[in-house]
Amino acid sequence: MLSNCLILLMVGQAFSIPKTEEVTWYPTYHLAPHKGWINDPNGLIYHNGYYHAFFQHNPENIPEGTKHWGHARSHDMLNWEYLPIALSPSLEDDIDGIFSGSAVNLNGKLTLIYTGVSDNLNKQRQMVAISSDGVNFEKKGVVITKEGDESYFRDPKAWFQNGSWWVVIGSQTTDKLGEVLLYSSKDFFNWTYQGVLAGGNGSLGYMWECPDFFTINGKQILVISPQGLEQDGFNYQNLYQTGYFVGNWQPEQNYTIEKGFREIDHGHDFYASQSFLAPDGRRIQISWLDMWESVFAENVTGWSGMFTIPREISLNEFGDLVSKPIREIIGKRTPNTDIFDTIISSNQMLTLKNNVFSSEILIEFNLLNSSCKAIQLSLKEEPTRDEGVVLYVDIELSRLFMERYYPKYGIDKTNRSVAIDLSLSKLSLDIFVDSSSIEVFVNDGIAVMSSRIYPNNNQRKFSVAPVDGFVNVSLTSYDINVNNQ
Ligand code: FRU
């Protein structure tokens, strides 16, 4: 079976929004459905002048339910035009759902390869659909099947290399370990099995979902979303993870891994990443800014789930993935606060803004000229209140913590954290807040933390305070002017 989470999510929420509260949760500059449910990004591609994003979608606002591919297109990856549903269950092999997959340009036509599911999700087969106009798709049926158990065989990600088409597919061994299978084809319809690209050897869960495989700086990065990892200290704290390997591969050779699995993002909500190449050569990654089995408080307002800001990813000299918000966002922002080289003394607090809805706060701490043991940043009604979100830079532990707490909506107090390098004398946090999300890029993208948040309209005051000492801060905050609402 796919996973129990699909069934658990059918349970309705046990809360409603109190009548006295006004909430604004639909994002302004992130992709989200106006109605219904989304999960994984699918079929990301730049084709004929548009960025296309497809998404796992249930058009009715029942959490989960039968999957379709929703469809949106954009010129800047921030403002989205929503198009008719691209793929709905209709054939014997996809009658129980259109699961995740990818898009390619096949002889000039926007072509999708996706997992069709049937037999109560137990049959998962790879299928193709083609469009001449980039909007309407004609299904071409099954192109890849797996011998034996077909219940864990999904999420094809295809690319063209050395005169052939290649596809990686998430799977499970007969011993119930996650693995990624590789296939190749000359025509995109007749595929030959090329073997196991990578497998977990028992340490990385029971299923690898949503594989993505691409080259940066001559290295081949394999991204997977494994299910079944145990929490390990500060790592793997979410139900499922998304992470990457760095290695070497070329057609007809084995994939040799140089650097083992590491999580891409350290927040509460980040899953099922997919990447594609922009026409200018940037590798852009988009992920689901949610996690299976979480509360999805927005569901009571008729929609559920959203995507991350598209991120330009690169590999630094140490083989670490670096993620930066796409530069298109710079053109959408207007500065509204500028604070340069200022000391916040012990027991003082800087309140930046009362109404952070659609904002970027770029903040730099000069640690050489600071004495505090920690720095606390909060988005709350008042910083002293419990409810809300707190970023906590623990200088002694060299870690950045993000804690959120929205008890009205069944969201318990939990934190996530990531190690930060404080030897650099400066710490920069580029914080993107949208109506119900926060994404924090640390030191130019060496670490990222992404979480869903559920403030009401009064809980949007952003403050900064040093703990046990003073801090030297420079800061610019911007409004982001995109309106998908
Ligand atoms: C990952 C996933 C995929 C599957 C899709 C179903 O979140 O479980 O493996 O194709 O979601 O919606």
Side-chain angles (χ1 to χ4, degrees):
M1 285 296 299
L2 175 65
S3 74
N4 297 336
C5 64
L6 299 186
I7 294 140
L8 284 173
L9 270 166
M10 300 299 289
V11 178
Q13 265 102 340
F15 65 84
S16 55
I17 298 169
K19 288 221 163 45
T20 49
E21 300 208 0
E22 278 188 33
V23 302
T24 310
W25 287 338
Y26 190 83
T28 62
Y29 60 97
H30 290 76
L31 188 154
H34 280 109
K35 179 172 181 289
W37 158 277
I38 69 164
N39 54 289
D40 314 355
N42 294 154
L44 305 178
I45 192 169
Y46 184 83
H47 184 81
N48 284 353
Y50 282 103
Y51 293 100
H52 289 261
F54 299 84
F55 42 90
Q56 285 291 282
H57 186 41
N58 173 16
E60 300 309 318
N61 187 42
I62 308 158
E64 270 288 347
T66 305
K67 293 300 161 48
H68 301 56
W69 274 32
H71 188 190
R73 67 184 178 191
S74 171
H75 288 300
D76 57 14
M77 293 181 270
L78 296 166
N79 243 310
W80 292 98
E81 175 195 354
Y82 291 83
L83 297 169
I85 286 177
L87 299 173
S88 302
S90 65
L91 305 178
E92 194 186 335
D93 285 301
D94 65 20
I95 201 67
D96 290 339
I98 313 284
F99 273 16
S100 288
S102 53
V104 299
N105 179 339
L106 182 67
N107 307 321
K109 293 192 172 166
L110 180 53
T111 301
L112 311 179
I113 180 162
Y114 66 93
T115 303
V117 295
S118 60
D119 191 17
N120 204 14
L121 311 190
N122 286 314
K123 266 192 198 147
Q124 305 188 354
R125 298 177 164 179
Q126 317 319 316
M127 306 177 73
V128 166
I130 299 186
S131 174
S132 300
D133 60 4
V135 178
N136 299 292
F137 288 84
E138 192 188 326
K139 289 185 184 174
K140 298 291 184 187
V142 172
V143 294
I144 307 177
T145 55
K146 188 182 170 191
E147 304 248 310
D149 181 6
E150 294 180 285
S151 57
Y152 286 89
F153 184 53
R154 56 182 181 263
D155 311 336
K157 177 74 193 313
W159 74 98
F160 191 75
Q161 186 173 344
N162 287 20
S164 293
W165 291 102
W166 301 86
V167 73
V168 281
I169 302 176
S171 190
Q172 185 188 65
T173 65
T174 45
D175 299 338
K176 309 219 174 304
L177 304 174
E179 63 178 354
V180 169
L181 307 181
L182 179 69
Y183 295 76
S184 72
S185 170
K186 286 290 173 200
D187 60 3
F188 212 75
F189 291 97
N190 296 288
W191 292 87
T192 308
Y193 177 54
Q194 297 289 344
V196 176
L197 184 78
N201 296 330
S203 61
L204 282 174
Y206 61 83
M207 170 64 191
W208 289 6
E209 298 191 308
C210 301
D212 191 5
F213 195 50
F214 51 87
T215 299
I216 303 185
N217 293 353
K219 294 288 170 199
Q220 281 67 49
I221 318 279
L222 175 65
V223 173
I224 56 164
S225 292
Q227 296 178 297
L229 266 62
E230 296 278 318
Q231 181 179 343
D232 176 15
F234 289 120
N235 293 329
Y236 315 152
Q237 287 187 269
N238 295 336
L239 178 64
Y240 305 135
Q241 290 67 38
T242 294
Y244 68 108
F245 304 91
V246 179
N248 297 295
W249 177 84
Q250 32 178 309
E252 320 304 337
Q253 289 188 9
N254 289 333
Y255 183 46
T256 52
I257 293 172
E258 281 178 358
K259 286 200 143 191
F261 184 79
R262 285 175 287 166
E263 286 172 271
I264 295 176
D265 188 289
H266 301 269
H268 296 82
D269 297 293
F270 183 92
Y271 198 61
S273 305
Q274 190 175 98
S275 75
F276 70 103
L277 275 182
D280 57 10
R282 287 176 295 166
R283 179 142 301 262
I284 311 287
Q285 184 180 61
I286 302 180
S287 310
W288 186 32
L289 212 173
D290 287 288
M291 180 47 60
W292 289 112
E293 293 187 39
S294 54
V295 170
F296 298 97
E298 73 275 24
N299 188 40
V300 293
T301 64
W303 63 279
S304 294
M306 59 187 282
F307 285 177
T308 61
I309 298 177
R311 299 167 185 187
E312 179 178 350
I313 53 173
S314 57
L315 212 56
N316 70 9
E317 72 226 78
F318 308 110
D320 305 323
L321 203 70
V322 175
S323 308
K324 298 184 184 198
I326 47 163
R327 63 182 79 115
E328 282 79 348
I329 209 153
I330 294 171
K332 310 284 183 191
R333 58 188 203 184
T334 41
N336 56 31
T337 314
D338 228 342
I339 294 169
F340 182 67
D341 205 7
T342 297
I343 297 279
I344 315 176
S345 340
S346 206
N347 306 320
Q348 263 197 349
M349 180 163 26
L350 174 77
T351 292
L352 183 62
K353 263 177 132 230
N354 285 323
N355 57 344
V356 175
F357 278 94
S358 178
S359 307
E360 176 185 356
I361 301 163
L362 180 51
I363 200 163
E364 195 171 271
F365 300 106
N366 179 345
L367 300 172
L368 285 184
N369 191 20
S370 301
S371 68
C372 56
K373 293 207 172 75
I375 309 160
Q376 185 157 322
L377 304 90
S378 62
L379 185 69
K380 292 184 171 181
E381 186 166 345
E382 287 302 331
T384 47
R385 297 280 175 88
D386 234 10
E387 193 167 325
V389 62
V390 174
L391 294 171
Y392 189 84
V393 181
D394 190 321
I395 296 177
E396 290 180 331
L397 280 183
S398 290
R399 287 196 87 77
L400 171 67
F401 290 84
M402 170 141 71
E403 182 182 85
R404 70 170 179 196
Y405 184 44
Y406 297 97
K408 277 193 290 264
Y409 311 120
I411 298 177
D412 298 336
K413 191 181 279 188
T414 51
N415 68 47
R416 298 289 184 267
S417 73
V418 67
I420 46 176
D421 184 358
L422 296 177
S423 64
L424 298 171
S425 77
K426 287 207 165 123
L427 170 68
S428 93
L429 302 180
D430 199 0
I431 304 169
F432 288 83
V433 175
D434 202 341
S435 310
S436 57
S437 63
I438 181 165
E439 292 159 276
V440 183
F441 295 80
V442 182
N443 287 340
D444 289 321
I446 190 66
V448 193
M449 301 186 80
S450 305
S451 297
R452 294 298 303 277
I453 56 174
Y454 294 99
N456 64 34
N457 291 354
N458 297 325
Q459 294 173 322
R460 295 180 177 273
K461 183 187 277 191
F462 187 87
S463 320
V464 185
V467 179
D468 281 345
F470 63 88
V471 69
N472 179 303
V473 62
S474 296
L475 171 162
T476 311
S477 84
Y478 304 88
D479 290 330
I480 296 180
N481 307 302
V482 179
N483 201 352
N484 282 308
Q485 275 178 343

